Amino acid sequence: MIVLPPMLPKEKLLRVAQQLPASARVLAQLGQLLMDVNSGLEEIAALLKRDTALAARVIRISNSAAYGTGGGIASIEDAVGRVGFAEVYRLTGFASATQVFDHDLTFYGVPGSILRANTLFTALAVESLAKRAAVDSRAAYTAGLMRSVGKVVLDRIGRQSLGGGKDFVSAGTTSVVEWEEMTFGITNAQAGAVVLESWNFPASVCVPVRVQLLGAPVSEPHARLTTLLNVAAGIAADAGYRMPGETGLWEITPEKLQAAGLSSTLFQECIREARDGFEQIRESLD
């Protein structure tokens, strides 16, 4: 049996991360491409078609009732042309997330259905919060989608390298963070940030993911988005998609809302918008 060292080597993290679907890396490249005003439909379509599984899922989702296209989209070019450049990033992000978070996290005891629902709900919630808090909503959406990627990587490492009795359920602890630090020497948030940085996601995504637990001070320009990400995870948990061992991590307090620049009224609007968006798109989760 291979026993990991107290602090998980970065090389091992990245080696296991390379086993994940390439769609997340395509999403990072798409974000960079869309920042260039000279990018056109052909360039965007060519990038998405590099990953045939991702392209097929983008086409399928773009035909769903949630996007109101009326169906009949048969190619990536059609999808990009019909939904538009701004919306194609959200659609691709959703498609990417459903691939990356496609399995149960057995080492964590998290069913895949809960993982995917939590991922999407968090992304929709933080995007809605960001729009009202004058924060980059695309970065917020991406951070929401990718905030649990560290769990996916650590779950694989645990299953591949550790023996029985090391998983979260067997550990008998109530805190997943304490268990991660004891088992891997790193939290899933820290691991996720390392992976996302290696995939060339910007600091506006990596920093909020790394400090999403709000356990360390964060300087601007990332402080507000980090708080919004934490609040959004709380919204997803309160909606019934809480993951094991996270009780108390996402408590929504007046202090957090104040730090994020959100009134109680705006906060409630965001919850309703996230719920509505989730209900519209949830049929595409499976």
Side-chain angles (χ1 to χ4, degrees), residues 64-144:
S64 69
Y67 278 87
T69 58
I73 294 177
S75 69
I76 283 293
E77 288 83 0
D78 287 345
V80 176
R82 294 274 287 277
V83 305
F85 285 9
E87 189 64 23
V88 76
Y89 185 85
R90 295 180 76 253
L91 192 157
T92 302
F94 175 50
S96 172
T98 57
Q99 285 186 291
V100 174
F101 304 106
D102 193 38
H103 303 288
D104 297 344
L105 301 186
T106 55
F107 211 66
Y108 276 83
V110 179
S113 58
I114 293 295
L115 176 65
R116 290 188 293 277
N118 179 282
T119 294
L120 179 59
F121 212 113
T122 300
L124 292 173
V126 73
E127 180 186 45
S128 181
L129 292 167
K131 289 177 180 177
R132 289 165 174 80
V135 173
D136 183 347
S137 60
R138 181 182 294 170
Y141 178 70
T142 308

Side-chain angles (χ1 to χ4, degrees), residues 168-183:
F168 177 66
V169 175
S170 300
T173 180
T174 59
S175 169
V176 72
V177 174
E178 291 180 5
W179 169 76
E180 288 170 342
E181 291 176 333
M182 177 180 63
T183 305

Side-chain angles (χ1 to χ4, degrees), residues 199-215:
W199 289 345
N200 295 318
F201 280 95
S204 58
V205 172
C206 298
V207 173
V209 168
R210 177 172 57 82
V211 204
Q212 60 182 286
L213 301 177
L214 302 181

Side-chain angles (χ1 to χ4, degrees), residues 5-254:
M7 180 56 70
L8 188 64
K10 180 178 179 180
E11 294 74 18
K12 186 174 185 67
L13 263 181
L14 298 184
R15 188 163 62 248
V16 173
Q18 289 301 313
Q19 301 171 12
L20 300 183
S23 55
R25 297 187 282 282
V26 172
L27 183 65
Q29 294 172 43
L30 178 60
Q32 295 171 0
L33 194 60
L34 291 175
M35 290 179 66
D36 184 350
V37 295
N38 295 315
S39 297
L41 186 152
E42 292 183 359
E43 293 169 283
I44 294 172
L47 171 62
L48 295 179
K49 287 194 290 188
R50 292 181 192 174
D51 185 327
T52 55
L54 175 64
R57 189 160 297 202
V58 167
I59 292 171
R60 181 171 69 85
I61 297 172
S62 66
N63 277 307
S64 69
Y67 278 87
T69 58
I73 294 177
S75 69
I76 283 293
E77 288 83 0
D78 287 345
V80 176
R82 294 274 287 277
V83 305
F85 285 9
E87 189 64 23
V88 76
Y89 185 85
R90 295 180 76 253
L91 192 157
T92 302
F94 175 50
S96 172
T98 57
Q99 285 186 291
V100 174
F101 304 106
D102 193 38
H103 303 288
D104 297 344
L105 301 186
T106 55
F107 211 66
Y108 276 83
V110 179
S113 58
I114 293 295
L115 176 65
R116 290 188 293 277
N118 179 282
T119 294
L120 179 59
F121 212 113
T122 300
L124 292 173
V126 73
E127 180 186 45
S128 181
L129 292 167
K131 289 177 180 177
R132 289 165 174 80
V135 173
D136 183 347
S137 60
R138 181 182 294 170
Y141 178 70
T142 308
L145 286 176
M146 294 294 149
R147 80 168 188 89
S148 294
V149 71
K151 280 189 176 181
V152 178
V153 175
L154 293 182
D155 182 80
R156 287 198 176 214
I157 291 174
R159 288 187 289 107
Q160 294 173 1
S161 304
L162 298 178
K166 296 288 187 178
D167 60 278
F168 177 66
V169 175
S170 300
T173 180
T174 59
S175 169
V176 72
V177 174
E178 291 180 5
W179 169 76
E180 288 170 342
E181 291 176 333
M182 177 180 63
T183 305
F184 303 104
I186 190 172
T187 68
N188 78 85
Q190 294 166 333
V194 170
V195 171
L196 293 175
E197 186 177 54
S198 75
W199 289 345
N200 295 318
F201 280 95
S204 58
V205 172
C206 298
V207 173
V209 168
R210 177 172 57 82
V211 204
Q212 60 182 286
L213 301 177
L214 302 181
V218 187
S219 59
E220 293 294 357
H222 309 301
R224 183 169 290 190
L225 178 48
T226 301
T227 302
L228 293 178
L229 181 58
N230 183 278
V231 170
I235 293 174
D238 290 346
Y241 304 110
R242 184 183 301 275
M243 290 192 276
E246 293 191 343
T247 301
L249 295 181
W250 319 115
E251 184 181 1
I252 300 171
T253 65

